[in-house]
Amino acid sequence: MPISLELIGQVAAALGVAFLIALILTPVVKTLAVKMGAVDDPSKDKDPERRMHSDPIPRMGGLAIVLGFLLSTLIFVPLTTQLQGALLGAVMIVVLGVFDDIYDLRAKFKLVVQIVAALIAVMTGNVIEALSNPNIFSSNPYWELGILAYPITLIWIVAMTNAVNLIDGLDGLACGVSSISSMTLLVIALLLGEPQVALLVAALAGGCLGFLPYNMNPAKIFMGDTGSTFLGYILAVISVQGLFKMYTLISFVVPFLLFGLPIFDTCFAFIRRIAHGQSPMHADRSHVHHRLIDMGFSQKQAVAVLYVITAILGLSAVVLTTSGAVKAMLLLFAFCVAGAVALSVFYGAHRPRRDRREEEEK
């Protein structure tokens, strides 16, 4: 389907409006966060080793992203029943995030509210009805989910809501990764002729990009759970509306490429915690970004590495959409090899320095 200039103009306008709103409102939200007590103070943290900063920093900055996204969406995107359900659930997630940034709510209570918000989206038509069969040699190309569509969609939305939240551990990481994933999804939506999905992710990308200058290291404000859980929730619902509706191989593979970093980090964290006899919700300092810091990367370097990984996965998703699975797999393999070599060189260059420092400390 050819991409019309009118659609390109609408996408650019949706992105620009959300960008300007988030850019202008972030300082206002920062002042509001301080007045409401939504401040991340490492000195009051029960586990200060997980913190990458030493000074109190306002959180709840995700509210600027949300406002930019919502206003742009209401202007440019037709309000279907599915979208109304998605936005209602998103508002619940945002309200939950605001209270969590102020009062630090219990994990079980947050999970219950997230499930209710996901249920609202599911019951208004945001459902993964079928998945393409990853076995390309099978005579049955699709899996019709039937009654399983509802619990599978519910799990997907709740899991993604928390996955983005879990990678929000370094300045600019979750916001930047979400920006890259949104822009990739925007390209795919345009290529596949999905105008509503394109406008939604354009508004989301604009909100993230407008907030990002305040969130890059050294961060002036954090997005908090208000932003990270909202981004995970809305990306999950948009992928249900767009990618999972496609009756091709991409309906199974592309979402996992687009959100590969948060999905991998969440799965790895849960497996690690269960293996150590801990609750899967137990916070620790062994996420991918923490491991990069421990390898000797600075915050900016670690974030840049994870940006590149997200961009590579996104590029592979675009190639898979346009050129087929073989080229996408070869591209992904080539980038993985190059990345492994680069990491080994960097690690080798920094290891002697760390060894000497440890010897001096002894």
Side-chain angles (χ1 to χ4, degrees):
M1 180 179 178
I3 303 172
S4 66
L5 289 177
E6 181 182 0
L7 178 58
I8 294 295
Q10 290 178 340
V11 165
L15 192 151
V17 168
F19 173 83
L20 289 175
I21 292 173
L23 187 69
I24 294 170
L25 289 184
T26 299
V28 179
V29 172
K30 179 182 177 182
T31 303
L32 178 65
V34 172
K35 290 183 177 180
M36 296 180 68
V39 178
D40 194 328
D41 190 348
S43 64
K44 299 179 180 179
D45 201 307
K46 297 178 181 178
D47 189 10
E49 292 184 357
R50 293 175 53 243
R51 299 298 177 185
M52 296 289 107
H53 61 98
S54 55
D55 299 322
I57 297 179
R59 48 194 178 194
M60 205 174 77
L63 196 57
I65 301 175
V66 174
L67 294 173
F69 169 80
L70 286 178
L71 291 175
S72 181
T73 297
L74 293 174
I75 293 171
F76 294 101
V77 186
L79 280 178
T80 62
T81 301
Q82 288 180 328
L83 182 56
Q84 289 175 3
L87 294 181
L88 179 58
V91 170
M92 285 188 63
I93 292 292
V94 172
V95 172
L96 175 69
V98 169
F99 277 96
D100 188 40
D101 286 336
I102 299 173
Y103 300 109
D104 196 16
L105 304 175
R106 293 179 178 272
K108 291 182 179 179
F109 174 75
K110 291 189 290 184
L111 181 60
V112 170
V113 178
Q114 290 169 3
I115 291 173
V116 173
L119 273 173
I120 292 174
V122 169
M123 299 311 294
T124 51
N126 297 283
V127 181
I128 305 171
E129 297 172 350
L131 290 175
S132 58
N133 191 342
N135 180 9
I136 59 176
F137 301 105
S138 173
S139 58
N140 183 17
Y142 307 112
W143 291 335
E144 295 291 342
L145 299 179
I147 194 65
L148 293 177
Y150 295 96
I152 288 176
T153 307
L154 184 69
I155 292 171
W156 168 254
I157 295 174
V158 174
M160 278 301 303
T161 300
N162 288 282
V164 175
N165 185 33
L166 286 176
I167 66 167
D168 188 23
L170 297 179
D171 295 349
L173 178 55
C175 187
V177 167
S178 298
S179 301
I180 296 170
S181 297
S182 298
M183 294 300 292
T184 306
L185 187 50
L186 171 60
V187 172
I188 293 174
L190 289 173
L191 291 173
L192 297 178
E194 288 286 331
Q196 178 166 316
V197 175
L199 290 170
L200 282 173
V201 289
L204 187 63
C208 291
L209 293 173
F211 175 76
L212 197 56
Y214 302 96
N215 191 227
M216 294 297 289
N217 184 262
K220 300 177 182 65
I221 185 172
F222 294 151
M223 69 166 66
D225 277 18
T226 304
S228 59
T229 53
F230 165 77
L231 289 176
Y233 176 89
I234 208 68
L235 281 169
V237 175
I238 290 174
S239 68
V240 170
Q241 288 191 10
L243 297 177
F244 281 114
K245 298 289 186 184
M246 304 297 173
Y247 282 83
T248 61
L249 176 66
I250 64 170
S251 70
F252 185 86
V253 178
V254 169
F256 293 95
L257 284 173
L258 280 177
F259 312 128
L261 178 62
I263 289 173
F264 167 79
D265 190 46
T266 301
C267 293
F268 184 73
F270 277 29
I271 293 171
R272 180 182 64 249
R273 292 166 185 173
I274 293 172
H276 286 83
Q278 299 172 333
S279 166
M281 306 303 292
H282 175 75
D284 57 23
R285 196 185 181 281
S286 297
H287 291 284
V288 173
H289 50 272
H290 290 136
R291 292 179 180 272
L292 288 174
I293 295 294
D294 293 340
M295 287 174 63
F297 288 84
S298 68
Q299 275 207 55
K300 291 181 180 179
Q301 290 171 334
V303 169
V305 167
L306 296 175
Y307 280 1
V308 170
I309 292 173
T310 304
I312 290 171
L313 292 172
L315 180 59
S316 301
V318 174
V319 172
L320 175 61
T321 305
T322 57
S323 303
V326 175
K327 289 185 179 179
M329 290 174 64
L330 290 174
L331 176 68
L332 184 58
F333 178 75
F335 276 127
C336 287
V337 171
V341 172
L343 279 175
S344 64
V345 171
F346 182 90
Y347 184 70
H350 282 71
R351 187 172 182 177
R353 198 183 312 167
R354 289 200 308 275
D355 291 344
R356 288 197 297 270
R357 185 170 64 246
E358 289 176 359
E359 291 177 2
E360 290 173 359
E361 290 175 355
K362 290 180 180 179

